[in-house]
Amino acid sequence: MVNLEDLKKETKKILEEERVKYIIGYKRGSNGLMPVPAFIKNPEDVEKLIWDPACVYNLSRFLVDEKRRKAKEKKPDERAVGLIVKGCDSRALNVLLQEKFINRDDVYIIGVSCENTGIVDEKKLAKKLKGKKILKIEYSEKDNFVTTTEDGKTEISAQGILAERCLECRAGFPVIYDVFLGEKAKRKLDNPCKSLENIENLSGEERWAFWKEQFDKCIRCYACRSICPMCYCEECVVDTINYAVATDTTAEEKAQRIKWIEKSPVASENIVYHLVRAIHLAGRCIDCGECERVCPLDIPIRLLNKKLEKEARELFGYEAGLDPDQVSLISSFKDEDPDDFII
Amino acid sequence: MIHFGKLKQKKGKIHINKDRCKGCAFCVEYCPKDVLELSEEFNIKGYHPPRIKNEDECLYCQLCETICPEFAIFVTLKKEEEEVEKGES
Amino acid sequence: MRINLSKRKIKDIFVTKIEEISGQNLLACYQCGKCSAGCPAIYEMDILPNQIIRFAQLGLKDELLQSKSIWICASCLTCNARCPKGINIAEVIEAIRQILLRKREDHLKINKLSDAEKENVPPIAIISSMRKFTS
Amino acid sequence: MKISYYPGCTLKNNAENFEDSTLCSLKYLGVEVEELPKWNCCGTVFSLSTDDLIHHVASIRNLIRVKESNSDKVMTLCAMCYNTLKRANERVKSDPESLDKINKFMYLEKVDYEGDIKVLHLLELLKDEIKFENVAKKVKNPIKNLKIASYYGCLLVRPREIGLDDIENPTILENFMVALGAVPIDFPYKTECCGSYQTVDKPEIVADRTYHILTSAQEQGAEVVIVSCPLCAFNLDHRQKETVKKHPDFKNIPILYFTQIMAIALGCPEESLRFDLHFIDPKPILNDKGLV
Amino acid sequence: MAEEFEPKIVAFLCKWCSSAGSDLAGVTRMEYPSNVVPITVMCSGSVSPLYIFSAFNKGADGVLVSGCHPGDCHYIKGNFYTRRRITMVKKLLEYIGLEPQRFQMSWVSAAEGTKYTQIIKDFVKELKPLGPQTKLRRNP
Amino acid sequence: MKRTGVFICRCGINIAGTVDVEKVAKELYKHTGVVHSEDYIYMCSDPGQNLIVEAIKEKKLDSVIIACCSPTLHETTFRNAAKSAGLNPFQCEIANIREQCSWVHKDMEKATEKSIKITRSAVERVRRNESLEPISIPVTRKALVIGGGISGIQSALDLANSGFEVILVERSPSIGGHMIQLSETFPTLDCSQCILTPKMVEASKHPKINLMTYSEVQEISGYVGNFKVKILKKPTYVDPDKCTLCDECTRVCPVVVPNEFDIGLTGRRAIYIPFPQSIPATYTLDIKACPGLLPIACGKCEDVCEPNAIDFDMKPEIIEEEVGTIIAATGYDLYEKELMSEYGYGKYPDVLDGLQFERLCSASGPTMGKILRPSDHKEPKEVVFVQCVGSRDPELHCAYCSKICCMYTAKHAMLFKHHVHDGQAYIFYIDIRSGGKGYEEFVQRAVEEDGVLYLRGKVSKIFGDKGKLKVWGVDTLSGKDIEIDADMVVLAMATRPSKGAEELAKKLKIAIDKDGFLSEAHPKLRPVESVTSGMFLAGAAQAPKDIPEAVAQASGAAAKAITILSQERLYHAPTVAMVNVNLCTGCEMCVHVCPYDALSLKDGKVEVNEVLCEGCGTCSATCLRAAIQIKNLTPLQVHEMIKACLGG
């Protein structure tokens, strides 16, 4: 079990030793159960830190912002940023390290385990509680959650309210860290890609009908892109035409932009946007599920990335985020890579 | 298998005078071909003398003979060896 | 007597059949003779194993069907094991035998054996020889 | 250790010495042998025709029996059974279409075969699972001074993908004999064919083969020849009668199954050796060496 | 009678093998349907997934990527990367329900004019019954 | 907006027969940016080219498209024409409407439509082409030759005699290769050593040749004209300058190991000189065989060496060199005989391979030129030679013909007869391949004058029998199976690429073929070049070869190397990768995929070494941000081409 006091002690220690400029963790928000990211600079503020199954965010995305901020500062503070990470978040760090986006020295990693369980899905939980106000949610001994409502404590099965990705997570503990709290328990999963099955078993036309409906909804708010720790490009290839046009953009420069897709949120353009995003995340997505969580229209974006994750593992034996030294999926190959579809 | 030429592997014999041995294991340690090992038996002084593990590997380089502080191990080469045996009998 | 070669002769259905039943490409043989050189039963044969393939290449149907050799082969597979072109000669010989056997011609008269002999010889010998030499 | 065991017809008829000595030895080695219930003929020889599936039905049916006995592998003794079962297995493994056809043919069987049974020869079991050094540890009666030539014949080594050792120069039997304390003799005819089933119709071929094989072994100093195939055993042992007739200079030599040597080494009782089934009695030479 | 549907196909050919192979088909005067418009690139390894999505988006009914056989790449190993990348694209397109026939990849060497001809013939034949591709196509 | 001109070639009726070229010209003239469009019967003819030149000048064109045959044929022609009109050659592109259109279609309407699309797409491309200048590279005028056999020696000598410096690297202690092991050479029966040693001496004394024996190439980087090589000089533990060749050291060395030079027929000490004429003439201490370098471990040689030439403290050295071109002459080895278990090699000492028999025949060999059986040192009377051992055996061994065995086996049989007059030689063969000057006559001489009995068939098994070797073969000509009780058997083993050649090929980035030999760039037209520019192949490293062929190829490789070394600068296509540093995040994915190591990270951004870049574009497809692109084939250009191809 992750002992919250240990977590506070560790973070306090590194803040006191001034090894980090600040620590990004979770604290209780003002709005109900769901926590908010906490940026802690003073050792005494560590008391605000929490760790429970509602700590859903992948905080590694903040490193992208941190890097941008630092680049603008004249005299940047060169100390590392302390970051509290779960298993999936730590794999995101590995990808960022692998792609040299951050240096290992830039981040002090405080790893916490998900207690062999996972993180709750806010929507599932709300449904389960049928509108009752929840005060607290904790891990229990038996891979379950203990919830506290006005009616008192109840132990509920984690399976019913876990986030989808946690149900398919094989290792709910960090793979890279400076400090580690909790236990490392590998999970045995019968089918780590269970969520894909319903779609994979459909016929081609049924699959198209499913995705068409989903993509029709998309309003191209780009929340998925904004939350994703891997979407750190300075300029996204799909919106070069819009992004770069500023007052000082010359007509010639405008002509040199490629209109891969139109801005208008119609199905065909939405599809290409999501296809491009999925293919750009192939071998990089670590399945933190944030894209899907933030989508205001509930498009199951995760199922696109998950599909390619599955193919990468089954066809090429590649898993993202396991090792910062591995060569990325698309910039490596094996002689025996399958090619049975090639004529 | 070498079939022609004058160069043939030297033949010889390793002689160990167990009772002189003080079990320093220099011969075992320095043998380039790992021919020797310490035996489990005790000699009269209570040390473990060396014994031959795999004589086939031996080059008869006589290093053990050179290095032994107690003159407890020596090597005779084939021609000499016959003479030694004659002398002994 | 001169053999009159023609496309019809060398592409005879008989040859195709051998290739079909054996699954071997007879044209792959370059006649090195290694099969014959290693054959343990060669001294009993009238046509050498490499010649069997050569005869098939030439479409010499009658010569092959009348040959003693095909009944001498004990399928010991020495030829297969050493063929540099990977041709399974034993399979080719089996195919020729099969062509005859499938015409319901038995080449083993099991009745000829004495009871004493039948008693003596192990069952695998009798069954396997029946498998090889009877239809 | 427990292992499914497929005996085959000849072990129950002419080659009881092979079976008895094996079963006794394995008991001494602590291996529990479970004979397949309801086994049938293995098909004797693997059919070499591509279009002949019916001959593999017998083999596959036996492998279904193995599955029914909840085992994933089966041990054979007879080299011919080993060869036939294993080749049939490899054949259907590499060709799902023929597997499907065979399964359809056996619609009365409760389970379908999937190509998942491993066919082992006793020698493989001894080498890879029990391990020769463990057998050596249990030797009570080392086979000292007996010069043994190991005869492999065809079926243990050919074809290449079935063979349990090097196709031209196998040494597994020699290695095993060393483990039992014996002196192995190498001879060039160890993989030359004995004439096989020609023994029925053309015993003169076999007589010739036997003459060459055994003379070669004797020239290298062999005192006995060991085999692992009942057909080889018959041809090399019983056909010595015809051999002497055809080649007057031929000298008899006892033929034993390698398992008999193992049984002697492990100290199995003499009943399990069944010397009564031999044409050339091995007892004198074994007596001579003080082994029985 | 309505005119028969003629699929529009874009083919990305590597310069050294597949484009040379299509040249050979020309030199030997083989005949194949004119539906395919080739774009010659230096190496199949330079075909970005964006090109493929874009071609469909701009109205292609089929897309072909063709490179040297594995091991024969003029640039030593470019086509091995292509193979991985294209595998992922292919899986993704099938997953969202695009007809698998619409996107193909082939190995065509400089000596395989016949193979190139056959691939084009088969491709066109397979696409005809599917009708126009509208799933990824931008509405004009 | 650029002013583009379009020129459509009719190519007689080759294009105009199926494509309505006038319509194409008319349609293209409507296309944005096209200010000139015309067709002509033969654009590649002088008047055709003049049309282009005139139009460029008259209409002030800044880019042109020629719609004609494949760019492989006339791209250079038209680019030169454009250049002569003052245009940058990279402002000229070809639209292939012949091979990829008119020749493969019959329907005029459809072919015309397709031609329009192809040409429009080319226009879209050229509109965005940059004017580029070829990249110029300086040349290091020095060559590296890898392998000190006859091919390597010949290449080095040719290069050195042309005035260029050469580094000749050989991994064993002496140069000479396999040729120095041979007794006589076919078909003239010249003494091999007598003809080779003068060349070896010349190579070692040549002021332009830096001979590095007992050395291996460890690392190669760079590109044509400017390779950087790291050569590992292994310690010999003997100072060649001090060594007086007194041979005292070998007398005391306690170790005996098989002598590689005699292929194990004789032994040598751990400290040894490979053979009397070794170059350099000095001793080498074989550290693998030596009981140990510490004086305490053995040190007997050091004790007796009066000139103190033995230095146990010698360390491996890594020498860095810069060269402009590299010749790989890594030679061959014989096939592993142990793999032919049916022939009993290793089991029976009197079964030899071809090189061992050469040593037995050699006057300086283990028997001083007497042919004797290794087993009992008696003269063999009946000797069987087996050809194609491991060669032409696609099923189990090597699929190819080793080429030299037919001839050297005939030579062996002949030499045997010359040594043992009352002996009989038998040769088992499948086919005799004697294509070469005087070769067929040589084989006939072996048959007619020396009575060698040729038997057409392959041997199946060889085994020892009563002090003889029983050979089971067949004579397919008579249809008889043959058994020979031989005193000795010589196997003509297949030749294989030498050990380590594959590893070296990887370092050199030279492709290897399916058999492991180094691949030439083109089997007919570029037989001595490798696919990597600046690297050449000589001798049996490329395929089995006899001495004259190896020497010829070595000289050819040297001549090819000189075409590079004789220039001060080389030029290289400028259509290479370029980086948009604003978009690059330094993720290194492109660095990993680059087959030429042309990309590297500098200050967190990727940098292109334009000299190394071959412009394949794999980097550009790998980059998620389109931050790296190929000049004149950028994603924007491809994007516009796709649009044009689809008619919109």
Side-chain angles (χ1 to χ4, degrees), chain B residues 8 40 49 64 66:
Chain B
K8 292 274 147 76
E40 278 158 33
C64 45
T66 323

Side-chain angles (χ1 to χ4, degrees), chain D residues 7-258:
Chain D
C9 57
T10 306
L11 267 67
K12 299 288 179 190
N13 289 290
N14 307 46
E16 283 167 302
N17 42 354
F18 195 4
E19 182 172 38
D20 289 358
S21 57
T22 305
L23 296 182
C24 180
S25 305
L26 288 180
K27 202 167 85 192
Y28 276 48
L29 291 172
V31 179
E32 201 180 317
V33 174
E34 192 178 33
E35 186 174 321
L36 284 182
K38 293 205 301 185
W39 56 266
N40 56 259
C41 172
C42 66
T44 54
V45 276
F46 180 80
S47 173
L48 298 176
S49 323
T50 53
D51 57 354
D52 180 13
L53 280 181
I54 200 74
H55 275 141
H56 308 315
V57 169
S59 304
I60 301 303
R61 201 188 295 277
N62 283 315
L63 297 176
I64 290 181
R65 298 285 170 264
V66 181
K67 265 187 102 160
E68 284 170 353
S69 69
N70 287 325
S71 186
D72 58 353
K73 56 188 170 202
V74 61
M75 177 190 82
T76 56
L77 299 185
C78 168
M80 208 163 204
C81 299
Y82 165 73
N83 191 283
T84 311
L85 290 178
K86 189 162 177 191
R87 283 194 85 176
N89 195 27
E90 297 296 319
R91 163 88 200 256
V92 297
K93 253 205 284 196
S94 63
D95 179 11
E97 203 182 311
S98 52
L99 176 63
D100 190 46
K101 274 191 194 155
I102 290 178
N103 273 326
K104 282 201 179 116
F105 186 83
M106 293 187 289
Y107 55 89
L108 287 179
E109 295 293 347
K110 282 192 200 86
V111 286
D112 268 359
Y113 188 59
E114 286 159 1
D116 47 352
I117 297 292
K118 212 171 150 191
V119 179
L120 285 177
H121 189 266
L122 170 64
L123 274 170
E124 290 175 297
L125 185 81
L126 288 166
K127 176 168 158 265
D128 301 327
E129 302 200 12
I130 303 174
K131 302 219 177 332
F132 287 170
E133 60 262 35
N134 293 331
V135 180
K137 279 180 206 154
K138 300 223 167 146
V139 168
K140 284 197 198 114
N141 183 17
I143 312 296
K144 274 192 198 134
N145 304 327
L146 186 63
K147 293 180 185 156
I148 301 177
S150 305
Y151 175 73
Y152 293 82
C154 317
L155 302 168
L156 279 188
V157 289
R158 285 188 292 266
R160 200 175 299 269
E161 53 279 12
I162 299 298
L164 44 75
D165 203 355
D166 184 279
I167 189 163
E168 294 291 349
N169 192 19
T171 50
I172 183 168
L173 276 170
E174 281 91 337
N175 295 344
F176 186 50
M177 287 303 120
V178 171
L180 300 178
V183 189
I185 295 293
D186 186 30
F187 72 117
Y189 278 77
K190 65 184 176 185
T191 59
E192 293 288 328
C193 176
C194 67
S196 187
Y197 44 73
Q198 297 290 12
T199 197
V200 177
D201 199 27
K202 304 181 186 72
E204 67 283 359
I205 294 185
V206 174
D208 265 339
R209 301 304 305 152
T210 301
Y211 173 70
H212 284 116
I213 293 164
L214 296 183
T215 314
S216 165
Q218 282 165 323
E219 273 166 12
Q220 303 302 319
E223 292 162 320
V224 299
V225 174
I226 56 163
V227 295
S228 80
C229 169
L231 186 48
C232 297
F234 175 80
N235 285 349
L236 295 184
D237 185 12
H238 293 258
R239 288 288 180 227
Q240 288 191 24
K241 196 164 143 195
E242 282 77 12
T243 310
V244 179
K245 270 185 222 156
K246 205 169 168 194
H247 300 275
D249 60 326
F250 176 72
K251 285 187 205 70
N252 293 108
I253 176 169
I255 309 297
L256 289 150
Y257 289 105
F258 73 96

Side-chain angles (χ1 to χ4, degrees), chain B residues 1-10 26 30-33 58-64 66-67, chain F residues 252 254-258 264-269 291 296-297 300 349 360 366-367 372-374 377:
Chain B
M1 232 1 186
I2 293 157
H3 300 286
F4 293 105
K6 274 176 254 164
L7 288 188
K8 292 274 147 76
Q9 190 64 56
K10 277 188 201 169
F26 277 12
Y30 286 98
C31 174
K33 286 287 172 181
C58 182
L59 298 169
Y60 305 100
C61 72
Q62 296 167 298
L63 172 76
C64 45
T66 323
I67 208 160
Chain F
V252 294
V255 183
V256 179
V257 288
L265 290 174
T266 60
R268 65 160 171 85
R269 298 296 188 191
I296 195 171
K300 290 185 166 61
L360 278 188
T367 52
L372 300 176
R373 281 159 47 114
H377 294 199

Side-chain angles (χ1 to χ4, degrees), chain F residues 10-11 95 123 220 578 616-617:
Chain F
R10 292 170 164 264
C11 199
V123 170
I220 292 183
M578 58 177 172
C616 70

Side-chain angles (χ1 to χ4, degrees), chain C residues 51-121:
Chain C
Q51 289 176 322
I52 291 180
I53 304 223
R54 187 66 185 155
F55 280 26
Q57 286 172 340
L58 298 179
L60 305 180
K61 177 179 170 181
D62 297 337
E63 287 83 343
L64 282 175
L65 290 178
Q66 282 154 23
S67 111
K68 235 173 74 181
S69 300
I70 56 173
W71 306 108
I72 301 294
C73 168
S75 306
C76 77
L77 310 188
T78 307
C79 45
N80 291 7
R82 293 185 188 149
C83 177
K85 297 300 296 286
I87 305 168
N88 290 341
I89 297 99
E91 267 82 334
V92 174
I93 296 175
E94 172 87 5
I96 303 170
R97 272 200 299 263
Q98 283 294 328
I99 289 171
L100 284 166
L101 294 174
R102 288 175 191 186
K103 291 181 187 151
R104 306 244 155 248
E105 289 175 22
D106 288 355
H107 282 260
L108 173 72
K109 302 283 176 280
I110 205 78
N111 304 343
K112 248 177 35 189
L113 293 184
S114 67
D115 284 351
E117 183 73 342
K118 272 189 244 171
E119 187 90 344
N120 193 5
V121 175

